[in-house]
Structures are given as C-alpha cells and as structure tokens.
C-alpha cells in the first residue's frame, strides 16, 4: 500500500510584484555588500582603506559594488580636492537605515556559529571536518600493503 502525502496549500498570500523583502534581500546578498556597510558604519573611508579592510575583495569587484551602492543611493561618493584626487565613500541616510538589519544578521550568525560548534559531530562528520581520521586510514592502508 502506497502512502500519499496530502498537499497543503499556502495560507500566506503571494508577495506583491516588486516585493520589498525580495528587493532588500537581493541587495544584502550582493557580493561584499554587508562588508562594505560594516566598514562604512563609523564614517567615511577611501577606496584603498576599504580594500585593506575587506580581506579577499579584488579592486575590480569593490569598485563595481561601490558604484552600484552609489547608484542605489546607499553610499555617497565624494571626490576630495587633493593632489592626486582621492575619493571618499560614506553611508547615506538610507544606507544607515540598513545597519540594524546587518546587525541582526550578525547576531543570528553568532548564534548559528555557537550552535554548530557545540553540536555533537558524528564520526563521519568529524573525519570530514578535521581530516585526521582520513590521514590515519591512509597510513593504515599503506602499512597493510607493505
């Protein structure tokens, strides 16, 4: 006898076209966006300062992301009258409104990380996580072949 699972229709209405939640999550999910917001929270930063702050980001990607954030009205771009000219970036009022969401995501991230580090790991998971068991198995196999 085959068991059948009854389909339950959603009780939640579909999001409206141009859903603000989808829009905001797409924005926050952009490459390096949360990192840029994090480092601009305390005030203006120049391009090379941000590049040093955000380990792993390339200059090209950082430049593209800053251009997009500027176009979206999240970041202000100010050319400084220096020789050679330098550019400072800082959060706009709209950009500052996003910071509580970033802080909330960071807080949940801490809880997830703590939960994962305290969760018991099975034997196979431990071997994948540490690689120690695989090394031991390889050593035993080499010894057995000799």
């Amino acid at each position: 006898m085959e068991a059948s699972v009854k389909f339950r229709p959603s009780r939640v209405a579909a999001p409206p076209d141009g859903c603000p939640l989808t829009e905001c999550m797409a924005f926050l999910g952009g490459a390096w966006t949360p990192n840029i917001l994090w480092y601009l929270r305390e005030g203006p930063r120049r391009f090379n300062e941000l590049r040093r702050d955000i380990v792993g980001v390339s200059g090209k990607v950082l430049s593209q992301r800053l251009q997009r954030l500027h176009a979206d009205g999240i970041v202000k771009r100010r050319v400084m009258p220096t020789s050679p000219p330098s550019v400072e970036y800082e959060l706009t009022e709209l950009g500052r409104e996003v910071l509580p969401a970033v802080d909330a995501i960071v807080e949940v991230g801490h809880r997830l990380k703590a939960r994962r580090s305290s969760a018991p790991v099975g034997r196979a998971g431990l071997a994948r996580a540490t690689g120690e068991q695989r090394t031991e198995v390889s050593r035993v196999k080499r010894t057995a072949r000799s």
Side-chain angles (χ1 to χ4, degrees):
M1 184 166 145
E2 188 176 310
S4 111
V5 177
K6 183 178 178 185
F7 176 76
R8 297 180 301 182
S10 176
R11 295 181 189 160
V12 178
D17 289 339
C19 175
L21 176 62
T22 303
E23 185 73 25
C24 191
M25 292 310 294
F27 157 75
L28 281 176
W32 304 102
T33 296
N35 304 73
I36 293 169
L37 297 174
W38 184 266
Y39 284 106
L40 289 178
R41 74 185 312 131
E42 294 299 323
R45 302 287 286 162
R46 292 189 307 271
F47 181 85
N48 282 328
E49 292 171 332
L50 284 170
R51 191 164 173 207
R52 274 185 236 117
D53 289 339
I54 306 170
V55 177
V57 69
S58 70
K60 178 183 176 184
V61 171
L62 180 58
S63 178
Q64 289 172 342
R65 181 52 44 192
L66 286 167
Q67 287 173 5
R68 178 61 195 233
L69 292 171
H70 181 257
D72 288 344
I74 302 297
V75 169
K76 282 190 267 187
R77 181 181 187 274
R78 185 173 54 188
V79 179
M80 306 300 290
T82 59
S83 180
S86 62
V87 178
E88 278 189 345
Y89 297 92
E90 71 178 302
L91 294 176
T92 62
E93 223 22 71
L94 180 59
R96 293 209 163 278
E97 289 179 31
V98 178
L99 291 179
V102 172
D103 292 338
I105 291 169
V106 168
E107 197 56 42
V108 171
H110 284 303
R111 289 197 299 274
L112 286 170
K113 188 175 179 180
R115 182 181 176 103
R116 287 183 184 147
S117 67
S118 67
V121 179
R123 204 173 213 179
L126 182 61
R128 280 192 302 276
T130 65
E132 293 173 15
Q133 196 169 24
R134 276 185 272 159
T135 303
E136 180 63 18
V137 169
S138 296
R139 187 186 64 74
V140 169
K141 284 181 180 177
R142 281 194 308 270
T143 305
R145 284 188 213 139
S146 306

